[in-house]
């Protein structure tokens, strides 16, 4: 087997595994893929983040389709948030490509650790305190946050939006994951263009990963809707800690 075919098969299998996890956790697989690419292919932070975007986009599209079939996700409420997300992701992605790789990696690790501890906190207090729902007029704020974190870390938007929607807007875990995926998509497209123009994308790795993920996303989404809510939240939290320690 030639080196090119071996690389394609390896990336295809990695993409398949990440696509399944992305569908299960509503993250597109990108946040797990960044440390994987850095470890397997010795990519720096910018190159790993840019390459991951190739896989994220088709995985997110497929995941949103499957999540929407099982949850009341209204695109009319999401479109204004997507516009805000796209605009703000431009500024944060331009900042990301001008940071040195070591600093960006440090910010990324700190960001994921904060999210992991916050999400663990929401799981613990959720059993003891009643939830309350903010009015949907506050939803545009989540679009701004999603855009800023998506552009800076390429995959941060969904990580932030899921706990916000669950804790502040009383969304179910699966509805929050599906909504977050829809919000991440426009920012991911904008960020991919920015990273590609700057030369921080490895297409030979990202394309087969994207192809592998498309075949397994639906299985992950289906499992997400079979798991108990608390178990799904614990899986989500465990994923955050894994990424934080391995990044």
């Amino acid at each position: 087997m030639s080196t090119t075919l071996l690389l394609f098969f390896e990336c295809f299998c990695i993409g398949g595994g990440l696509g399944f996890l992305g569908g299960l956790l509503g993250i597109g697989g990108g946040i797990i893929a960044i440390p994987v690419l850095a470890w397997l292919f010795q990519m720096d932070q910018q190159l790993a983040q840019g390459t991951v975007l190739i896989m994220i986009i088709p995985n997110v599209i497929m995941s949103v389709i499957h999540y929407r079939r099982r949850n009341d996700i209204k695109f009319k409420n999401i479109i204004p948030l997507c516009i805000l997300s796209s605009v703000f992701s431009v500024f944060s992605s331009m900042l990301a490509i001008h940071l040195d790789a070591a600093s960006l990696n440090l910010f990324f690790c700190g960001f994921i650790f904060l999210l992991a501890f916050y999400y663990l906190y929401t799981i613990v207090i959720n059993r003891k305190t009643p939830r309350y729902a903010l009015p949907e007029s506050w939803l545009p704020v989540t679009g701004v946050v999603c855009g800023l974190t998506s552009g800076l870390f390429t995959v941060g938007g969904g990580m932030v939006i899921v706990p916000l929607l669950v804790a502040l807007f009383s969304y179910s875990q699966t509805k929050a994951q599906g909504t977050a995926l829809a919000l991440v998509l426009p920012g991911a497209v904008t960020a991919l263009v920015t990273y590609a123009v700057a030369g921080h994308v490895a297409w030979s790795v990202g394309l087969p990963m994207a192809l592998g993920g498309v075949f397994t996303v639906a299985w992950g989404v289906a499992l997400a809707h079979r798991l108990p809510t608390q178990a799904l939240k614990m899986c989500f939290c465990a994923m955050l800690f894994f990424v934080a320690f391995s990044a």
Side-chain angles (χ1 to χ4, degrees):
M1 184 180 292
S2 69
T3 304
T4 302
L5 286 177
L6 185 61
L7 176 64
F8 180 92
F9 180 74
E10 180 181 1
C11 294
F12 181 88
C13 292
I14 294 171
L18 294 171
F20 174 80
L21 291 174
L24 172 64
L25 302 172
I27 56 174
I31 196 166
I32 306 173
I34 289 176
V36 169
L37 291 181
W39 178 60
L40 289 179
F41 301 103
Q42 289 74 54
M43 293 184 180
D44 62 32
Q45 188 72 17
Q46 279 99 336
L47 184 59
Q49 291 188 177
T51 302
V52 159
L53 287 164
I54 306 172
M55 181 192 73
I56 288 176
I57 293 171
N59 282 5
V60 166
I61 292 173
M62 294 296 295
S63 296
V64 169
I65 291 172
H66 290 289
Y67 269 99
R68 191 166 184 264
R69 289 174 180 171
R70 296 172 169 87
N71 298 276
D72 181 26
I73 299 174
K74 297 182 175 65
F75 284 145
K76 67 178 182 179
N77 295 335
I78 295 176
I79 290 175
L81 309 186
C82 289
I83 295 173
L84 286 170
S85 176
S86 297
V87 171
F88 281 89
S89 69
V90 173
F91 298 105
S92 55
S93 59
M94 290 178 65
L95 172 62
I97 62 177
H98 287 96
L99 289 172
D100 66 274
S103 297
L104 187 59
N105 182 257
L106 181 63
F107 289 141
F108 178 79
C109 291
F111 173 72
I112 299 302
F113 264 119
L114 285 175
L115 284 178
F117 281 111
Y118 171 76
Y119 210 74
L120 181 61
Y121 171 74
T122 62
I123 292 173
V124 172
I125 68 168
N126 189 47
R127 297 178 177 177
K128 301 176 182 179
T129 59
R131 287 187 296 181
Y132 61 96
L134 290 176
E136 292 196 344
S137 58
W138 285 85
L139 280 174
V141 177
T142 63
V144 174
V145 174
C146 182
L148 290 174
T149 52
S150 290
L152 188 58
F153 301 117
T154 74
V155 293
M159 299 296 93
V160 175
I161 299 306
V162 171
L164 283 180
L165 292 177
V166 171
L168 301 181
F169 295 91
S170 293
Y171 278 36
S172 68
Q173 182 71 18
T174 53
K175 182 178 179 180
Q177 291 183 183
T179 303
L181 284 165
L183 280 174
V184 165
L185 183 58
V189 174
T190 305
L192 176 59
V193 173
T194 305
Y195 277 81
V197 170
H200 294 302
V201 175
W203 296 95
S204 61
V205 173
L207 288 175
M209 287 177 64
L211 185 61
V214 166
F215 285 99
T216 58
V217 162
W219 300 342
V221 175
L223 179 59
H225 287 84
R226 292 193 183 103
L227 288 176
T229 299
Q230 201 67 13
L232 186 58
K233 287 184 176 182
M234 290 301 295
C235 289
F236 191 92
C237 187
M239 175 271 302
L240 290 174
F241 277 109
F242 168 78
V243 172
F245 279 110
S246 60

